[in-house]
Amino acid sequence: QTQMDNLSVQATLIIGFALSMWAGETLMPLLEDDSQLCIWKSWYHLFFASVFFIFVAVCISCCLIIVSIVSYIKQAAQEAALIVSTGAAVAVTRQHLNTLNYYFVVAYASFTLSAVLLIILYVGLPSRLPADTAEHRLSELSGEGESQEGWGSELESIVELFDGTFSITCL
């Protein structure tokens, strides 16, 4: 019972931290098209972001499964103790303990990987193009220089605004 209570509390804490990874402060810079950390810049930005979102979803799902199974086991163990015996209650608890440990290891690993991916998205991947080369890169895009083709290249993200300044967008 104590081990299940510990798993349930730890899974609930991990749910809270994983949900905070999906909070506005995290998602807004990643999903905005004019953000420094936008995921639409290149294929590897999009790849790391997709894997990040998948691991957060796996983490939250496994933790919810843990909390649900613990609630069920406690209820089934109490019923088995009242109807049959306390030995039956212990057997019902031990029967599901390996499953709980498996889901907890998966949840913890996916939480750790999603935290590492979030650090990679915010720190490890290149964010902005140098501002001093914006005019040169814009001339490359317009065909005056040698152009790079391909979806999501960094050159496609330079946009000239109405006032003559340059902005870097992802879309």
Side-chain angles (χ1 to χ4, degrees):
Q1 287 275 352
T2 305
Q3 187 177 8
M4 285 191 317
D5 288 338
N6 290 340
L7 284 176
S8 180
V9 169
Q10 289 173 3
T12 306
L13 287 172
I14 291 175
I15 288 173
F17 286 117
L19 285 174
S20 71
M21 285 188 197
W22 274 353
E25 292 83 16
T26 305
L27 286 184
M28 191 179 337
L30 292 176
L31 298 177
E32 283 183 339
D33 64 341
D34 60 349
S35 171
Q36 179 180 1
L37 303 167
C38 174
I39 63 172
W40 310 109
K41 279 184 208 153
S42 63
W43 68 268
Y44 51 90
H45 282 86
L46 189 59
F47 172 76
F48 280 114
S50 300
V51 173
F52 164 72
F53 292 131
I54 289 170
F55 275 124
V56 171
V58 167
C59 175
I60 292 171
S61 300
C62 286
C63 288
L64 287 173
I65 289 171
I66 290 170
V67 172
S68 301
I69 290 177
V70 166
S71 297
Y72 167 75
I73 291 173
K74 283 185 174 184
Q75 186 179 19
Q78 287 176 357
E79 186 177 328
L82 290 174
I83 295 173
V84 183
S85 69
T86 55
V90 171
V92 168
T93 303
R94 286 186 182 170
Q95 181 182 5
H96 297 287
L97 205 52
N98 288 335
T99 305
L100 285 173
N101 287 328
Y102 172 76
Y103 278 117
F104 185 75
V105 167
V106 170
Y108 188 74
S110 61
F111 176 76
T112 304
L113 287 173
S114 62
V116 168
L117 286 169
L118 188 63
I119 292 170
I120 289 172
L121 282 169
Y122 272 88
V123 178
L125 296 179
S127 54
R128 292 253 193 228
L129 298 174
D132 60 346
T133 62
E135 287 186 36
H136 172 69
R137 291 182 186 254
L138 188 63
S139 67
E140 286 180 357
L141 273 178
S142 63
E144 297 171 8
E146 197 176 298
S147 65
Q148 278 187 344
E149 292 186 21
W151 179 81
S153 75
E154 292 177 340
L155 299 177
E156 294 174 356
S157 63
I158 300 175
V159 177
E160 185 174 5
L161 301 177
F162 294 113
D163 59 0
T165 61
F166 293 95
S167 176
I168 299 172
T169 62
C170 293
L171 297 177

